Amino acid sequence: MTVADLHVHTTRSDGTLTLDAVPEAAHSAGVEVVALTDHDRMQPALDAPVTERDGVTLVHGVELRVDAGALRVDLLGYGVEPTPALTALVDEIQRDREQRGRAIVECVEDRLGVTLDIEPRPGIGRPHIAQAIDESSADEEYQDAFEHLIGSDCPCYIARDIPTFERGREVLAEACGVVGLAHPLRYRDHAAALDLTADLDAVERYYPYAHDTDPTPVDRAVEAHNLLVTGGSDAHDRQLSRAGLDSAATERLLATLDRQTAG
């Protein structure tokens, strides 16, 4: 039984849940523990690495995209205690997001001959732009925007400037109790991605992939590197618990966070 969803996005990045709405969504899904892991942003309203609201345990987390050379991967930091280095890094990333968002919007407006109802800002991502395209163009719906305009290799795609794996891992390790690799079987070279876990604390073992996957490579990495197991739905909507951890795995993670933050 899933009791913890450790990969949830809010309106701090590209999710639809506000922080205040998370406990209700958790109760509706039968979830007791939720990690808030917004893209490249922290939750300023959370004043501790692990807190409780309305009967739900909230883990302060962050999802950080990093450049590992041959591929880009996402790292999940759990039990965030903001440090000057992490604050500076996310501020740097958000400035890049804003500049990149403005460039993509201008490209789309030029190409379609429309004005998008969106203002480039910290936290902006391609889903926000795709939604604005959907609302502004009769010809391009949300998914069409990714397939024809702003997806990888599309005419208005612009890559983000992101930190190296080494820098991201080091900054997260200083600020978080646990640092793990997100959705390892989503990467085109999952073997190379899993190799990175040798320098991490955890790996996301449970995830709602869009296709059937064989978790054996993940299990091998867990055993080889003595990793904690995490899991979550990667929710960008209100539906939690599509994937997550059972009670025993949740207790191990929370116990590790408690030891790390106490130390």
Side-chain angles (χ1 to χ4, degrees), residues 53-89:
R53 288 198 179 191
D54 299 328
V56 176
T57 298
L58 299 182
V59 177
H60 191 179
V62 63
E63 183 173 13
L64 195 70
R65 180 155 296 179
V66 296
D67 187 344
L71 71 167
R72 293 181 165 204
V73 302
D74 294 315
L75 299 180
L76 291 166
Y78 296 111
V80 173
E81 291 188 280
T83 60
L86 180 57
T87 300
L89 180 58

Side-chain angles (χ1 to χ4, degrees), residues 22-24 26-27 31-34 51-58:
V22 170
E24 180 184 351
H27 288 306
V31 170
E32 301 170 8
V33 180
V34 175
T51 60
E52 185 173 315
R53 288 198 179 191
D54 299 328
V56 176
T57 298
L58 299 182

Side-chain angles (χ1 to χ4, degrees), residues 100-109 126 129 150 156 158:
R100 178 224 197 189
R102 180 174 292 106
I104 292 176
V105 167
E106 290 173 354
C107 177
V108 170
E109 289 179 335
R126 285 183 294 164
I129 300 172
I150 64 175
C156 292
I158 297 171

